[in-house]
Amino acid sequence: MLEVADALAEVLARVRPLKPSTTALSPAVLGRVLAEDVRADADSPPFPKSLRDGYAVRAADCSSRNAELRVVCEIAAGVLPTRTIGAGECARIFTGAPIPDGADAVVMQEDTQPLEGERVRVTDERVKPGQWVFARGTEMRAGSVVLPAGTVLNPAALGVLAGLGAVEARLFPAPRAFILPTGNELVEPGQPLKPGQIRNSNGPMLAAQVVRAGGIGTHKGIGPDTVDQLLALIGNELDSSDIVLIAGGVSVGKYDLVPAVLEELGVAVHFRQVRLKPGKPLLFGTKGNTLVFGLPGNPVSAAVCFELFVRPAMRVLAGHANPGPITVPLPLAEGVAEVNDRPTYRPAKLELGESGFTVRPLPWLGAPDLRGLQAADALLVLPPGESRLDPGTLASVVLLTV
Ligand code: AMP
Ligand code: MG
């Protein structure tokens, strides 16, 4: 049985980023990754611009106390200056407006007094050349790399791209995952339950995990525990999906038919078990470039295996440099005393206190207890054997929401 780190390495060794494509920019690409450097098409700002409402002056004219200047023109944002500022002159100017030739500084209007007859008194005696002027090209120079390949598009990056005039960019695509919950006992939500049946929690949960991980999920309902139907349902997707996510039917019971079905479909199975709790029966295989994960049917196991193995694979497919899982040391908000037979990933909650985040393990009843996971935004990692940890001890924590 593989250890978690070895199983993850086995997965990552077989994943390559998807082929980038030119993609229209919109809020829908939030979280996607740039596949090539984006360069500035022009200097920014394209002209020296005022950072304040006030007066564009020649700094040398303001060296004496209460210098008085003649206001020769007014420049609003979006308007080009029409004349040069000469000695003893200034221009009324507003934030974002171009600095006229001749002027080399801006005096805030709070440091001035308007006088009769288009004149102004400058009460600030320490006017330095360049003050309140955002010089041409300060933010970026034409041709310079503004956003390097690998940048994750956050709202500011989308604003920068808009500032460059870009309407499209080369992006890694969102991975497409086909989700197939399996089990004869499963019924879709909205349908009545007959004796012995349970509702399909994994389908909607995994679909949402795929979206949270930046992917696109598709599904075709529940797969029954019959070889023929599983062959048809899975076989159709092996060529058209980046990831096939099957939940349930991967263990060693009589009705756990998924491993045999995958073998018949020509999927190369790389491992079938990983030493972790919850989650031991976890299958990973590939066919061509398609990654196949057989997740355990118990919902918490499925969710944890998704976060530890599927999500990192999705990050690589989507062009992220760091596959994760994003793991940080955090102090425990309360003590832990438990014995585990395997490395354990326990539902836990981050709490923000005065000295930063701590992590609190949540009560849960084991692999089927999805309700116990619902409040979690982290997984507390505990080693096998006895864990006796005092509050404040640094523990390893997998973050689920970043
Ligand atoms: P399996 O891995 O198929 O042996 O399933 C393990 C346990 O998870 C069984 O108790 C199943 O009934 C349950 N289970 C399997 N699939 C789902 C699902 N989609 N939603 C909720 N529970 C499930
Ligand atoms: Mg089953």
Side-chain angles (χ1 to χ4, degrees), residues 129-146:
Q131 83 169 26
W132 302 127
V133 175
F134 200 34
R136 175 179 175 148
T138 310
E139 197 187 4
M140 53 186 108
R141 285 270 170 216
S144 63
V145 174
V146 181

Side-chain angles (χ1 to χ4, degrees), residues 264-284:
E264 195 165 334
L265 288 168
V267 173
V269 174
H270 305 298
F271 61 78
R272 286 189 56 178
Q273 287 195 330
V274 181
R275 201 162 80 97
L276 85 158
K277 191 167 107 182
K280 188 163 97 181
L282 170 69
L283 179 152
F284 171 63

Side-chain angles (χ1 to χ4, degrees), residues 18-43:
L18 296 169
K19 199 165 147 291
S21 64
T22 301
T23 309
L25 294 174
S26 78
V29 301
L30 188 65
R32 300 269 291 276
V33 179
L34 274 182
E36 64 185 22
D37 293 347
V38 175
R39 293 171 185 275
D41 60 339
D43 288 350

Side-chain angles (χ1 to χ4, degrees), residues 182-183 185 225 248-249 255-256:
T182 70
E185 73 279 33
D225 294 321
Y255 296 100
D256 292 330

Side-chain angles (χ1 to χ4, degrees), residues 26 33-34 48 52 54 81 89 93 137 154-155 157 174 237 282 287 309 347 397:
S26 78
V33 179
L34 274 182
R52 288 289 183 276
E89 296 180 343
I93 199 162
N154 63 14
E237 298 300 326
L282 170 69
K287 185 172 186 199
F309 302 99
V397 176

Side-chain angles (χ1 to χ4, degrees), residues 266-334:
V267 173
V269 174
H270 305 298
F271 61 78
R272 286 189 56 178
Q273 287 195 330
V274 181
R275 201 162 80 97
L276 85 158
K277 191 167 107 182
K280 188 163 97 181
L282 170 69
L283 179 152
F284 171 63
T286 48
K287 185 172 186 199
N289 289 329
T290 301
L291 311 175
V292 182
F293 290 92
L295 304 173
N298 270 312
V300 182
S301 308
V304 168
C305 288
F306 181 96
E307 294 296 331
L308 297 185
F309 302 99
V310 182
R311 193 169 178 196
M314 288 179 66
R315 284 201 186 93
V316 174
L317 290 171
H320 289 271
N322 176 10
I326 311 295
T327 307
V328 293
L330 285 177
L332 287 168
E334 67 179 57

